Amino acid sequence: MKLNLFSPLPPLRSDIARLTVHMAPHLGRAAEVVVWSSEREWQFEPPSGVTVRHYDPQRPPWREINQADATFYQMGNDPRYHHAIWHMSRQHPGVVILHDLMMQHFFSGLVFHDRGMNRREYLELVERYHGIKGRVLAEAHVQGLLATEELAQRCPLTEAATENALAVIVHSDAAFLALAEDVSVVKLPLCVGMELPTLDARQATEPYRIAV
């Protein structure tokens, strides 16, 4: 089996980057894995069965990416490390590993850190998932009248990070219950190097129909 894994890598100061490093030997024993990084340099010596490749989210190497049997996206709420991963997940559906329940910090950061989303797109995104009341709150936020943390409590934008996912992996009961019923989701506690626990899973109510 061939797998793609889009993830930040060291030296980026990211817990998800460190998790990927610890997880790589286990994945490499089970499959042929390509870890894709949007950074041009990384501090990671891939173990047997794992290679690291650079990608440009503006010009992805689709021929190589499409050779995999499945694609996984490590998704956190820091826009510095995950903006390119999110853009790829919207173009190439795969399994999103959701590390944070509230993704408002991520999408707000895309605007304020100029990571490929303008204010109009951001406000439309909030309105799509949280209605006109959410948009009013988001407008107050972009004007500096409402803190990100307070907005996240009312408009978490969790589903915006998984809108194109074939399935979602989460690590907590709260995240498992928060996702909509039409999302296929598995709760997998962080357990690298340990025996796999019993998994909680929920299949989407509507099956995927593949037409060729």
Side-chain angles (χ1 to χ4, degrees), residues 2 20 84 107 202:
K2 296 182 179 180
T20 295
F107 291 103
R202 183 181 71 232

Side-chain angles (χ1 to χ4, degrees), residues 76-95:
N77 65 9
D78 193 322
R80 296 172 299 171
Y81 307 146
H82 298 279
H83 71 281
I85 296 172
W86 178 68
H87 285 297
M88 289 298 300
S89 73
R90 300 182 79 195
Q91 300 177 73
H92 185 77
V95 179

